[in-house]
Amino acid sequence: MTQTTDPTALADSPVKPGRTSRPRIHRAWIVAAVTFVTIIGGAAFNSLPGLLIDPLHTEFGWSRGEIGLAVSIDMALYGLTAPFAAALMDRFGIRRVVVVALSAVAAGALASVWMTASWQLMIYWGLLVGLGTGAMAMSFAATVTNRWFVAKRGLVTGILTAAGASGQLVFLPLCAWIVDEHGWRPASVTVALAALVVVPFVALLMRDHPADVGVAPYGGTYVEKPAPARGAAARTVRVLFDAARTGPFWLLAGTFAICGASTNGLIRTHFVPSAHDHGMPITAAASLLAVIGIFDIIGTIFSGWLTDRFDARRLLAVYYALRGISLMFLPLLMGPSVEPPMIFFIVFYGLDWVATVPPTLALCREHYGEDSAIVFGWVLASHQVGAALVAFLGGVARDTFGRYDVVWYAAGALCAMAALMALVIRRRSTPKVPVSS
């Protein structure tokens, strides 16, 4: 076994023959905890766009379409960066990539305080924050899960996916209060500080591979750390071309594009301004989104547990069908105050918010083996492209029709289509050999 100077390695070393004691906490759980906190810090920015559409429109006179375009650039880059980030983590290590990503998010959020033109919004929010959050997207969670866990992968995926909802739960009410009481600039500074606070945790506690501390993955056997994978960009593109020749990839990408359109693109970006159109205070609407975050955590972790036990395709079909039904009813529930039917929608929708991630990632693993993190990154890219389109088109629809109703109905119909697509994904009975080396 390789020697290590890591001071935590002794507590994590594999049990030698003849010994009966075992470490209390496997190092994989510590790495997962750091990943959870990192995703929370990186997700802080995702709390802002829906809160700032009206303040930016009022202060600068920018149309909702212009602001939506900046949000759509952020979401598209978030998705398109993810597969390359997974390959870069194989080349340079998880820790280095995530530290740079957090710094980019902080820089973009802080620079936006001094912007005076919409093109600056697209650079700071769209480019810098999009690249930074993309490097900490769900492919980051997939990389950590694949390297550090053999057992309980579905559960861990659910927990790490729920980190984004936890960030929403923490930052949405806080940022809404700051925007309401002090304006949008202090809220942007708060997001920048949240990203920077996480950097020391990553630098001190994150490890790239179980072999770095001389342990086996949780539930698996010890393996040597592979050599850094060179040609990260070329490998990422090669994996895409190979996966694109398979039917499951397009079905997974299509369903996940609809997932992004109906969550990040629609609810996260346009729910608050839509509720405000009906007379609801911004703080009340933001609090409802935060409640979605509470039930999202429950739903996603439970979905991970279900994914370890049931057919992932059928789970996806159920999730998308229920989401579509709920969106069809949403226009009828909007009003100036929070009534019980709206609370029921928030709870119901929250349980379904990103419950789609664990079964989608499980199907990527089933079909694409060791390349599954990169393939999932490309599937996530489609998620964010769908989100970006609806973030932009939702703003255009509001500018054109004066209300959001048509967007809610269209999203419900798309979710019904996603449910049917999920059911036709074929099963694979044997593990997939990697499509690239």
Side-chain angles (χ1 to χ4, degrees):
M1 181 182 300
T2 56
Q3 297 297 318
T4 178
T5 57
D6 191 303
T8 63
L10 292 177
D12 293 320
S13 297
V15 179
K16 296 180 180 179
R19 290 181 59 183
T20 58
S21 62
R22 299 183 65 183
R24 286 185 183 179
I25 302 176
H26 192 285
R27 184 58 182 265
W29 294 109
I30 297 175
V31 172
V34 174
T35 304
F36 188 91
V37 173
T38 301
I39 295 173
I40 288 177
F45 176 82
N46 292 329
S47 303
L48 278 183
L51 301 177
L52 301 192
I53 289 178
D54 286 337
L56 292 177
H57 174 71
T58 300
E59 178 172 339
F60 296 108
W62 301 335
S63 72
R64 290 175 175 82
E66 284 182 290
I67 300 169
L69 179 59
V71 177
S72 71
I73 292 172
D74 162 67
M75 290 182 175
L77 285 176
Y78 176 100
L80 294 172
T81 301
F84 291 96
L88 287 172
M89 288 175 187
D90 288 342
R91 174 66 179 89
F92 297 106
I94 297 173
R95 182 162 45 178
R96 292 180 183 176
V97 172
V98 172
V99 166
V100 171
L102 286 167
S103 302
V105 171
L110 191 59
S112 67
V113 171
W114 294 282
M115 65 186 177
T116 57
S118 60
W119 66 265
Q120 294 171 324
L121 178 70
M122 295 173 193
I123 295 294
Y124 302 148
W125 278 22
L127 182 62
L128 283 176
V129 176
L131 292 173
T133 54
M136 295 178 293
M138 286 177 276
S139 57
F140 167 41
T143 300
V144 170
T145 304
N146 288 351
R147 290 187 186 182
W148 283 89
F149 291 86
V150 174
K152 300 189 183 298
R153 279 180 169 172
L155 176 62
V156 175
T157 300
I159 293 172
L160 295 183
T161 303
S166 300
Q168 176 177 297
L169 172 63
V170 171
F171 288 102
L172 256 174
L174 174 63
C175 289
W177 177 81
I178 293 173
V179 169
D180 199 40
E181 295 292 327
H182 304 287
W184 66 269
R185 288 178 176 84
S188 192
V189 172
T190 300
V191 168
L193 293 176
L196 289 176
V197 164
V198 181
V199 171
F201 289 93
V202 177
L204 295 174
L205 298 176
M206 177 63 71
R207 293 295 180 269
D208 296 327
H209 194 277
D212 288 342
V213 289
V215 300
Y218 183 82
T221 57
Y222 181 84
V223 293
E224 294 290 344
K225 182 178 181 178
R230 299 185 181 276
R235 180 190 173 203
T236 302
V237 174
R238 185 167 60 250
V239 168
L240 171 63
F241 285 154
D242 289 339
R245 291 198 292 265
T246 66
F249 173 79
W250 292 106
L251 290 168
L252 288 169
T255 55
F256 224 40
I258 294 172
C259 178
S262 57
T263 53
N264 292 354
L266 186 59
I267 294 292
R268 179 169 283 166
T269 305
H270 295 294
F271 177 82
V272 171
S274 178
H276 191 55
D277 284 347
H278 288 79
M280 186 179 294
I282 289 178
T283 50
S287 297
L288 289 176
L289 276 186
V291 174
I292 285 180
I294 296 174
F295 289 95
D296 178 22
I297 295 170
I298 298 170
T300 306
I301 294 175
F302 185 54
S303 176
W305 183 85
L306 290 174
T307 301
D308 287 331
R309 290 162 175 79
F310 298 101
D311 186 343
R313 301 171 306 157
R314 290 186 170 86
L315 290 176
L316 285 178
V318 171
Y319 297 158
Y320 285 121
L322 293 177
R323 181 183 301 177
I325 293 170
S326 67
L327 288 173
M328 290 288 191
F329 280 97
L330 182 57
L332 303 176
L333 308 179
M334 291 289 189
S337 60
V338 180
E339 302 293 338
M342 175 61 82
I343 295 175
F344 179 78
F345 167 83
I346 293 297
V347 173
F348 187 85
Y349 191 87
L351 291 171
D352 195 284
W353 178 271
V354 286
T356 55
V357 173
T360 300
L361 182 51
L363 288 168
C364 285
R365 288 196 197 101
E366 178 180 322
H367 287 277
Y368 304 106
E370 292 181 11
D371 286 322
S372 60
I374 296 177
V375 173
F376 180 71
W378 284 113
V379 171
L380 176 61
S382 71
H383 180 282
Q384 293 306 115
V385 169
L389 286 172
V390 171
F392 171 63
L393 294 176
V396 172
R398 171 60 177 79
D399 290 335
T400 302
F401 301 108
R403 57 194 306 163
Y404 283 101
D405 289 8
V406 65
V407 185
W408 304 123
Y409 295 135
L414 285 174
C415 288
M417 184 187 303
L420 295 175
M421 292 168 66
L423 289 175
V424 299
I425 298 174
R426 61 181 175 83
R427 297 300 306 271
R428 187 178 186 88
S429 58
T430 58
K432 177 71 175 68
V433 176
V435 295
S436 69
S437 58

